């Protein structure tokens, strides 16, 4: 499909798994649970208050043995060590991948090109502490002397999704009187809707962009800058704008004093950057002590990932299960469903993390891969999504493995809401695993007094195939530490997948072509010339839109 050169999938473990799949694919989880009363205890990992139950998966000990052998064969241990020690594992961009250094709470030296990166990381963390405290205490004031209470992050992709997700997840930890807004989309509506709600005198804009060349972010930042200076004059920029970037030159060009810039580095990928100064909005909203706890939680997961044996390693097990379904069963999607309103943006965050990292078709050996790489990841907060896409999860033709995420205690324990919520998520996992046979459905209909004809007609519609896998992740309560663990867990899951698929999880060349073409279409939309260099469909679309906008 992608050319002549193909990455081989004929490794020993892969072949064994393919063979095992044929023999095992019809095995019912119902039966596996019946046969082994210890199954839940066996397929279970606990780390620091976080529990992964992966017993509701289509696996046996043999499956796990072969999957773990695949990880060994792909030299996962060496690859993990290479990442943590700063080796340039992003081979297409020749960069180290060191988001783990941002939360290296032991402060052990990590070297890139012979330089220990920890001092500069600690320096920026110190600068973030000083600034976030000054804003929270009202010491860093706006142009007219008022406290800055509206924090607006302008960024997109990795410079938006992580902070947005974490700020929402930690809403209960927000400083009193503070509000946070995120402007990402180039759609003017995104910008206008935020600006309509806030007062320039009390607003702090954080322009977050690794490259500081992203058209959406720079266009939004310019519009916000104009809105501010129209109200408060040019001098106000120094008091109301800060930047987070790796590109000091462009920050200065934009008109933000480099003193008001928080630095990060090429060894931090955009979608892995919420632990850097890109998390400044988080630090201001929840305080730097809580930001530190977020880093502590992520560090605990890093240590686990680095040191736990693979059979007891949460990110490794999650990744191997995903590969089992994606590459052997051929199920190409995966749903993540947090049962907590505060975690509502986790699926959107994970979409970029997973699909931008692993949606690749060329291997590290410069060959076209011939197995499936990133799954389609989607999700949303439960129980809402039970009333939208769960019909397909239960009765659709292709199973969609799910991750259910449940905090045992809610920040808002009102009446029996939380118990109803938990009952629902546990019921979903059980229902997906057990299903309901046609005979069981018929029996139920009989008990409900239905006629023979009705039973015979309805029984298939009312049956559930079951045998559909899910992982359940439980922790006590959402707090900065548990959130840090959870997000780092998914980062490392994505890393393991990349290693097994032998792809570079740390570039994103697939986003470039669309950007390039947009640049060529823009002048045609703005000028009088009709598009002539495109296909007839694109030409016609340009023509129609121009007519409508006249
Ligand atoms: O969409 C591509 C991308 O480069 C993402 O990887 C990144 O997170 C986003 O754009 C924003 O980039 P920047 O932080 O450089 O503005």
């Amino acid at each position: 499909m992608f050319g002549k050169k193909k990455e081989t999938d004929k490794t020993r473990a892969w072949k064994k798994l393919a063979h095992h799949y044929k023999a095992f694919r019809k095995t019912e989880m119902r039966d596996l649970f019946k046969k082994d009363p210890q199954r839940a205890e066996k397929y279970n990992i606990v780390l620091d208050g976080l529990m992964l139950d992966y017993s509701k998966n289509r696996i046996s000990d043999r499956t796990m043995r072969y999957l773990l052998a695949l990880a060994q064969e792909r030299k996962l241990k060496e690859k993990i060590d290479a990442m943590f020690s700063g080796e340039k594992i992003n081979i297409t961009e020749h960069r180290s991948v060191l988001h783990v250094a941002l939360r290296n709470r032991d402060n052990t030296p990590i070297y890139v090109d012979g330089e220990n990166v920890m001092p500069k990381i600690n320096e920026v963390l110190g600068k973030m502490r000083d600034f976030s405290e000054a804003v929270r205490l009202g010491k860093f004031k706006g142009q007219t002397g008022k406290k800055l209470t509206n924090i607006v992050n302008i960024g997109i992709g990795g410079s938006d999704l992580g902070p947005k997700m974490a700020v929402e997840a930690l809403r209960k930890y927000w400083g009193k009187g503070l509000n946070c807004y995120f402007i990402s989309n180039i759609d003017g509506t995104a910008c206008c809707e935020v600006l309509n709600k806030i007062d320039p005198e009390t607003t702090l804009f954080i322009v977050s962009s690794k490259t500081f060349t992203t058209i959406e972010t720079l266009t939004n930042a310019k519009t916000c800058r104009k809105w501010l200076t129209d109200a408060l004059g040019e001098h106000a920029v120094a008091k109301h704008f800060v930047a987070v970037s790796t590109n000091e030159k462009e920050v200065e060009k934009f008109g933000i004093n480099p003193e008001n810039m928080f630095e990060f580095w090429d060894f931090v990928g955009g979608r892995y950057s919420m632990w850097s100064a890109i998390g400044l909005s988080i630090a201001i909203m929840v305080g730097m002590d809580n930001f530190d706890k977020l880093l502590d939680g992520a560090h605990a997961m890093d240590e686990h990932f680095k040191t736990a044996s693979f059979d007891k390693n949460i990110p490794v097990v999650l990744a191997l299960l995903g590969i089992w379904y994606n590459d052997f069963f051929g199920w190409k999607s995966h749903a993540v469903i947090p049962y907590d309103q505060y975690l509502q943006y986790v699926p959107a965050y994970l979409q970029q993390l997973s699909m931008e990292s692993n949606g690749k078709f060329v291997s590290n050996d410069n060959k076209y891969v011939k197995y499936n790489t990133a799954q389609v990841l989607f999700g949303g907060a439960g129980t809402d999504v039970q009333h939208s896409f769960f019909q397909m999860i239960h009765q659709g033709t292709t199973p969609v493995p799910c991750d259910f995420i449940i905090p045992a205690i809610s920040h808002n324990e009102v009446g029996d809401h939380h118990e109803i919520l938990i009952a629902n998520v546990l019921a979903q996992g059980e229902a997906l695993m057990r299903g309901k046979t046609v005979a069981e459905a018929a029996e139920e209909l009989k008990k409900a007094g239905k006629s023979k004809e009705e039973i015979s007609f309805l029984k298939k519609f009312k049956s559930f195939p079951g045998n559909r896998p899910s992982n359940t992740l439980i922790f006590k309560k959402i707090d900065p530490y548990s959130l840090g663990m959870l997000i780092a867990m998914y980062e490392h899951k994505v890393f393991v997948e990349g290693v097994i698929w032998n792809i570079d999880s740390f570039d994103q060349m697939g986003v470039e072509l669309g950007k390039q073409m947009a640049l060529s279409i823009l002048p045609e939309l703005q000028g009088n010339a009709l598009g002539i260099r495109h296909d007839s469909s694109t030409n016609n679309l340009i023509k129609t839109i121009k007519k409508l906008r006249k």
Side-chain angles (χ1 to χ4, degrees), residues 264-446:
F264 69 115
W265 311 272
D266 266 353
F267 57 75
V268 178
R271 53 193 172 275
Y272 299 85
S273 64
M274 61 175 262
W275 325 96
S276 72
I278 287 290
L280 187 61
S281 54
I282 314 172
I284 295 174
M285 291 309 291
V286 303
M288 196 63 193
D289 287 348
N290 279 321
F291 190 80
D292 278 347
K293 286 181 192 153
L294 185 79
L295 301 183
D296 290 344
H299 178 64
M301 185 54 74
D302 294 344
E303 286 299 297
H304 166 78
F305 180 53
K306 215 165 49 171
T307 57
S309 61
F310 289 164
D311 59 330
K312 290 284 165 213
N313 194 313
I314 297 177
V316 173
V317 167
L318 285 176
L320 292 174
L321 291 169
I323 283 160
W324 179 224
Y325 298 128
N326 188 11
D327 292 303
F328 296 91
F329 286 76
W331 302 338
K332 295 182 191 162
S333 24
H334 181 80
V336 178
I337 303 128
Y339 275 70
D340 192 296
Q341 202 61 36
Y342 291 132
L343 298 182
Q344 61 177 307
Y345 297 133
V346 167
Y349 169 81
L350 294 180
Q351 279 183 335
Q352 188 199 15
L353 179 65
S354 169
M355 297 201 272
E356 193 168 82
S357 296
N358 285 341
K360 312 276 166 75
F361 73 117
V362 180
S363 76
N364 288 331
D365 302 324
N366 210 354
K367 293 175 184 164
Y368 295 108
V369 302
K370 70 170 184 183
Y371 36 78
N372 296 332
T373 58
Q375 289 163 293
V376 175
L377 191 149
F378 67 102
T383 58
D384 280 1
V385 296
Q386 289 179 202
H387 300 272
S388 61
F389 60 73
F390 265 53
Q391 165 63 39
M392 189 190 99
I393 304 261
H394 284 284
Q395 287 189 320
T397 47
T398 307
V400 180
C402 297
D403 287 355
F404 295 121
I405 302 173
I406 330 171
I409 300 172
S410 168
H411 277 287
N412 300 291
E413 290 277 345
V414 270
D416 53 2
H417 285 235
H418 203 59
E419 275 126 23
I420 297 175
L421 182 86
I422 292 178
N424 266 279
V425 58
L426 298 183
Q428 292 303 325
E430 190 172 17
L432 285 168
M433 184 277 285
R434 274 184 53 83
K436 190 187 282 178
T437 63
V438 175
E440 284 166 344
E443 190 55 35
E444 257 183 35
L445 288 164
K446 198 172 157 194

Side-chain angles (χ1 to χ4, degrees), residues 72 126 178 206 414 425:
Q72 305 282 7
L178 294 178
I206 305 172
V414 270
V425 58

Side-chain angles (χ1 to χ4, degrees), residues 154-161 208-218 244-246 264 269-273 278 352 356 506-512 515:
I154 307 172
I156 198 164
S159 300
D160 165 71
L161 290 163
S208 299
S209 175
K210 179 173 172 180
T211 53
F212 230 78
T213 56
T214 306
I215 190 161
E216 290 93 334
T217 302
L218 290 189
V244 182
S245 188
T246 58
F264 69 115
R271 53 193 172 275
Y272 299 85
S273 64
I278 287 290
Q352 188 199 15
E356 193 168 82
F506 302 102
D507 61 11
Q508 54 284 324
M509 305 204 172
V511 299
E512 292 308 324
K515 284 188 197 171

